[in-house]
Amino acid sequence: MAKFLQLAASRAFTTSLQRLRNVFTVSDSETFMEKVLNNDVPVIVNFHAEWCDPCKLLTPKLEELVVPLPGIDLAIIDVESCPELVQAFEVKAVPAVIAVRSGLVVDKFIGLVDAQNIEDFIKKLSKQMQTNAT
Amino acid sequence: MSVLKICTKSFAASLGRQSERSLKKIYRISSSFRTFSTEGKLEYDLVVIGGGSGGLACAKEAVAQGARVAVLDYVQPSPRSTKWGLGGTCVNVGCIPKKLMHHASLLGEAIEDARSFGWRIPGNAEIDWLAMRDAVQDHIKSVNWVTRVSLRDNKIEYVNGRGHLADANTVVATLHNKKEVLLKTKNVVVAVGARPKYSTAIGAQELGISSDDIFSLEKPPGKTLVVGGGYIGLECAGFLNGFGYPSTVMLRSVPLRGFDQQMASMVVNEMEGRGVNFICKCVPESLSKTLDGRILVKWNTTPGASGGSGQGEDVFDTVLFAVGRKAVTDSLALDKAGVETHRETGKIFTTNEQTNVPNIFAVGDVLHRKPELTPVAVQAGRLLARRMFGNDKTLMDYDNVATTVFTPLEYGFVGLSEEESEKRHGPENLEVYHAFYKPTEFSIPQKDMSNCYIKVICLRKEPRTVLGMHFVGPNAGEVIQGFSAAMKCRITMEQLLDTIGIHPTVAEEFTRLTITKRSGMDPNPQACCS
């Protein structure tokens, strides 16, 4: 039990540190413009809600997978705080995830998908980035 | 997996354009949001005041018929400061959370029953109030959100502000920041519903709660007194008792006043058998705080009543007032347009949902002498919009509306009560079929079946049209729904008895009725399949 607590505590600490690097929340269109559409690196945008159980499983999983990747950012948007963005991207159900690169939406999925699908989604985004770089 | 593929496929088709459009959309939406929140005068075909069951249904149908529509919704916090989102009473503090909590309560019972069917269940099942409440509230919030999205999809302008009339063609919405938005409109639909009343007892508003608060209560309710014997009071006491919180119901007069009283007494008997305490023919006089933070309630016999439980006092953790609901028309300034309302109840007088002012209409709980039910408000709202903006002339039929009281043993019915049938037709012109029955699943766990009872009232004269069908038992809502369609077709007793039942169900009992009250024969079941 003690070991579990230790592990959980260290994990939370690491995540909160790394949060400063490539995981952030967006709560208005200006921030979205600046940190997502005008970002040099691709961004995975996660539309999330506090009352949504699948979101509570998906968001941490996305964080876990994106945090160690240097070239990808993760933007988390609470649908309650940003109706304009929700409307702009026609988000009708949560969780909804879109991939943005150089201001263009290049991929998306809706609902809680399994870990393999999330990994493939992220891999596809970083592969595209690599292809462009060469 | 295939769903994911479909999503990405249809999306891939318009990738480049999509993002460009998205960018433009963000700018356009943000800017329109800004201009809307300042003072603006806009032209509408319809402004609906109230974003609940009736208001939203009316608004959506109106838009479908081509009208330009705005919906105002605003929740005045309860005396306990409880607030909620878009969707009205049903979604937030009515039908939805009620049914979920009722179901949660029955599940606790099912866990115990399961043992007798051979399930090995370690320990005793206990309710975690906060976990249950959070699960219910999360669901409500998801419905709030879907409702908002749906309004946007339907291109209905949504204003989160308190509405009142400046005149028959102008609605003023007062927003949170006190700013006012003027909406010029050809028509107005008032769908503001009602809010719980409190008793006049000293300390009622300060120390009591209502149905506005129970579904989001921040701590377990504990030992509860429910004041009021209508369906709201009985349903709340029912599920609280099922969760293990000692519950008492205080009735001013009779339970479920206006409902079939024989069926009401079955419901009360069942609740008493489950441990709910009933204090009869009494009203609370005062509520005061005890030294350990609980509530001391003192009560006395209802003025003018005789018999009953008599004077008394007791200490409770929670006191829930369910003594009736008042239409929220006071702050609407309806007089500015000359709309007539009932002096006491505040409800609006309408004929086919039209008030005395030709361009002002009303739907839902705010209507005088109409059933206060979500499906009624929804249907009335929809038909009204069709009459206003479409070519349909269909009027709302308020008769034979089925309904169910979700007490631990549920009571569902459609049509007239025995009392109302006698009043309209005279007892000599009626035949009342009745029976007690035994649900198959109740026998193994030895559940009390003494209140499982059904009753059908029909005319004695051919074609023996059925006037009312009444059912106390499990899943009453599911049982009665289909029969309301039959009632709409004016089903006769012969057609009902000619129907072959599904076995084994409880609903089939309606097809097995043979004994009438007039015969004096014993309505208790003899055997199962004979």
Side-chain angles (χ1 to χ4, degrees), chain A residues 26-89:
Chain A
V26 172
S27 42
D28 57 73
S29 346
E30 283 82 25
T31 315
F32 187 81
M33 207 71 65
E34 180 200 318
K35 289 184 128 182
V36 178
L37 296 178
N38 291 334
N39 201 325
D40 294 328
V41 303
V43 185
I44 292 182
V45 183
N46 172 214
F47 288 91
H48 161 104
E50 283 307 303
W51 37 257
C52 163
D53 275 347
C55 296
K56 294 196 184 128
L57 294 169
L58 180 65
T59 304
K61 188 72 191 166
L62 282 172
E63 279 183 22
E64 183 192 312
L65 292 172
V66 170
V67 151
L69 298 176
I72 297 193
D73 284 0
L74 174 64
I76 300 171
I77 305 180
D78 185 334
V79 293
E80 302 278 8
S81 66
C82 218
E84 307 107 62
L85 289 174
V86 168
Q87 202 177 348
F89 290 95

Side-chain angles (χ1 to χ4, degrees), chain A residues 37 80 87 90 92 104 107, chain B residues 8 19 23 25 148 153:
Chain A
L37 296 178
E80 302 278 8
Q87 202 177 348
E90 295 173 349
K92 303 235 171 90
L104 291 175
D107 205 353
Chain B
T8 34
S19 54
L23 265 172
K25 250 189 188 166
R148 274 208 316 281
D153 283 352

Side-chain angles (χ1 to χ4, degrees), chain B residues 496-510:
Chain B
L496 181 59
L497 295 178
D498 213 29
T499 308
I500 299 183
I502 304 169
H503 186 70
T505 64
V506 293
E508 67 171 314
E509 297 298 332
F510 277 116

